[in-house]
């Protein structure tokens, strides 16, 4: 095993993990409000295709596209489309009180269908599968930190990534502080733990649930955008990978025990476990599927360990997945 192989594995783990990290952060914020949104894969699909479509139509037949404009419109489009997915979920589960599990699964199917339909359309417009050209946008997302990325081994390990890798880390820390150190964050957590008590204390339960779910969905959608623009370099692949990453993001929420800071190292561990077979010689194609199972197996082990310890701070919000029915006075 050479140093280059180890460095490549770590880089792949961080890039792969960043996609999962965005999805998990959004879902943690959503679940802290008491909503269990299993539509994360579909939301990530929506974020990926919306960002790609926005930048594609801007760059299409544009001889001199602006990198800054490409960045802004793709980010806004991805966040907005994903937040709309969260709004749809919120309306069905909060206002209409539909079953959260069924609604989330339906959103996953819906998001995947919409994304692959428009992805195929963009491929046709571009001249065929793999012909989509959003080179300017992709270059902005994949640009590394000038100077620092050339510092030998430390530069390759720490500074050879696009800006969204560092944005994910900062956002995870900010969300942790928000949920634990601010009044709005504590109000949100109280809604997730006991909405009736929060309601009696004057906290608007529906508003907190709507905001947390929509913003959380927007954050999760950034994972799909990062995968599309950075990980696969600005194209569209109808191979089900985004859906797989979305389910890994849901598993990471449990692994991180609903803490966004834990999700940072957890996402990189998932990426490492997923790609570790690359440095093991002599593996066949079937063997790789066994390694792809490792993140899920580790999550199950953590779930069992956390359940046995039965510590309240490691448990999900008490009202997670339950609709709130306000008592009439």
């Amino acid at each position: 095993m050479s140093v280059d192989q180890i460095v490549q594995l770590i880089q792949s783990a961080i890039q792969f993990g960043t996609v999962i990290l965005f999805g998990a952060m959004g879902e943690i914020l959503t679940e802290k409000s008491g909503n269990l949104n299993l539509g994360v894969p579909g939301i990530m699909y929506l974020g990926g295709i919306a960002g790609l479509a926005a930048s594609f139509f801007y760059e299409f037949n544009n001889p001199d596209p602006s990198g800054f404009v490409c960045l802004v419109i793709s980010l806004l489009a991805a966040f907005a489309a994903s937040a709309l997915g969260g709004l749809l979920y919120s309306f069905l589960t909060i206002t209409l009180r539909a079953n959260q599990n069924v609604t989330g699964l339906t959103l996953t199917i819906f998001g995947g269908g919409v994304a692959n339909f428009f992805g195929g359309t963009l491929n046709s417009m571009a001249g065929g599968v793999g012909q989509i050209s959003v080179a300017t946008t992709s270059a902005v997302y994949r640009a590394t930190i000038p100077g620092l990325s050339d510092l030998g081994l430390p530069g390759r390990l720490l500074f050879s990534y696009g800006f969204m890798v560092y944005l994910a880390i900062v956002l995870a820390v900010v969300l942790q502080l928000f949920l634990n150190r601010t009044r709005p964050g504590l109000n949100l957590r109280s809604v997730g733990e006991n909405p009736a008590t929060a309601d009696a204390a004057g906290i608007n339960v529906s508003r907190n649930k709507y905001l947390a779910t929509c913003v959380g969905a927007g954050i999760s959608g950034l994972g799909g955008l990062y995968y599309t623009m950075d990980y696969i370099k600005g194209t569209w692949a109808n191979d089900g990978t985004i859906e797989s990453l979305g389910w890994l993001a849901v598993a990471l929420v449990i692994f991180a025990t609903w803490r966004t800071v834990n999700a940072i190292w957890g996402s990189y561990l998932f990426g490492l476990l997923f790609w570790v077979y690359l440095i093991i010689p002599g593996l066949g194609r079937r063997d790789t599927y066994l390694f792809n199972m490792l993140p899920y197996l580790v999550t199950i082990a953590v779930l069992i360990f956390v359940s046995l310890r039965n510590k309240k701070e490691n448990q999900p919000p008490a009202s997670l997945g339950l609709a709130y029915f306000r008592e009439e006075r």
Side-chain angles (χ1 to χ4, degrees):
M1 185 188 306
S2 66
V3 174
D4 284 341
Q5 285 180 310
I6 296 175
V7 171
Q8 184 180 2
L9 174 62
I10 294 174
Q11 289 176 328
S12 298
I14 291 175
Q15 292 172 325
F16 188 83
T18 298
V19 182
I20 307 170
L21 179 56
F22 275 112
M25 284 192 295
E27 180 61 8
I28 288 173
L29 182 62
T30 298
E31 292 192 12
K32 283 295 185 180
S33 72
N35 281 350
L36 176 61
N37 186 1
L38 297 180
V40 173
I43 286 171
M44 291 174 68
Y45 265 123
L46 292 175
I49 192 59
L52 179 66
S55 58
F56 174 81
F57 286 116
Y58 172 68
E59 289 192 41
F60 193 62
N61 291 332
N62 187 342
D64 188 27
S66 166
F68 177 75
V69 175
C70 289
L71 175 65
V72 171
I73 63 173
S74 59
L75 276 173
L76 290 178
F79 189 91
S82 303
L84 283 174
L87 181 62
L88 175 61
Y89 171 89
S90 298
F91 176 72
L92 292 172
T93 60
I94 300 171
T95 302
L96 301 183
R97 300 187 180 93
N99 182 279
Q100 295 186 13
N101 294 326
V102 174
T103 304
L105 294 173
T106 303
L107 182 57
T108 289
I109 299 171
F110 170 79
V114 168
N116 286 317
F117 171 78
F118 284 104
T121 302
L122 292 179
N123 276 324
S124 298
M125 293 178 62
V129 176
Q131 300 300 311
I132 295 177
S133 177
V134 288
T136 302
T137 309
S138 180
V140 173
Y141 280 90
R142 293 186 293 112
T144 57
I145 301 175
L148 295 179
S149 58
D150 299 323
L151 296 178
L153 185 59
R156 293 174 63 191
L157 289 175
L158 301 175
F159 306 112
S160 61
Y161 313 101
F163 77 94
M164 289 194 75
V165 171
Y166 310 103
L167 174 63
I169 297 172
V170 172
L171 187 57
V173 174
V174 169
L175 284 176
Q176 185 77 7
L177 293 174
F178 168 76
L179 291 170
N180 293 281
R181 302 293 183 183
T182 68
R183 182 176 295 275
L186 293 174
N187 288 345
L188 178 65
R189 291 176 59 190
S190 69
V191 168
E193 290 295 336
N194 194 323
T197 301
D199 194 5
I203 299 171
N204 192 315
V205 173
S206 294
R207 183 175 63 188
N208 275 274
K209 283 179 173 287
Y210 262 92
L211 284 174
T213 304
C214 292
V215 174
I219 294 172
S220 293
L222 295 181
L225 177 67
Y226 174 78
Y227 175 81
T228 301
M229 292 299 180
D230 190 311
Y231 198 78
I232 61 173
K233 301 179 180 179
T235 186
W236 185 256
N238 182 11
D239 58 2
T241 302
I242 291 181
E243 182 173 355
S244 299
L245 293 171
W247 292 122
L248 279 174
V250 174
L252 179 59
V253 173
I254 302 170
F255 180 88
T257 59
W258 291 267
R259 294 181 178 89
T260 55
V261 172
N262 287 352
I264 298 174
W265 65 266
S267 64
Y268 299 156
L269 176 61
F270 275 23
L272 189 68
L273 293 173
F274 197 89
W275 290 112
V276 71
Y277 71 86
L278 292 174
I279 62 173
I280 301 178
L283 293 179
R285 182 180 179 85
R286 289 180 300 176
D287 299 322
T288 63
Y289 293 113
L290 295 176
F291 283 89
N292 292 345
M293 291 169 52
L294 288 178
Y296 299 102
L297 295 178
V298 171
T299 300
I300 293 173
V302 169
L303 182 61
I304 294 173
F305 176 75
V306 167
S307 300
L308 290 175
R309 293 188 66 185
N310 201 29
K311 295 180 66 175
K312 182 174 175 57
E313 60 269 25
N314 292 334
Q315 302 302 316
S319 71
L320 183 63
L322 303 176
Y324 174 57
F325 295 86
R326 186 177 189 181
E327 296 182 3
E328 298 296 334
R329 296 182 178 86

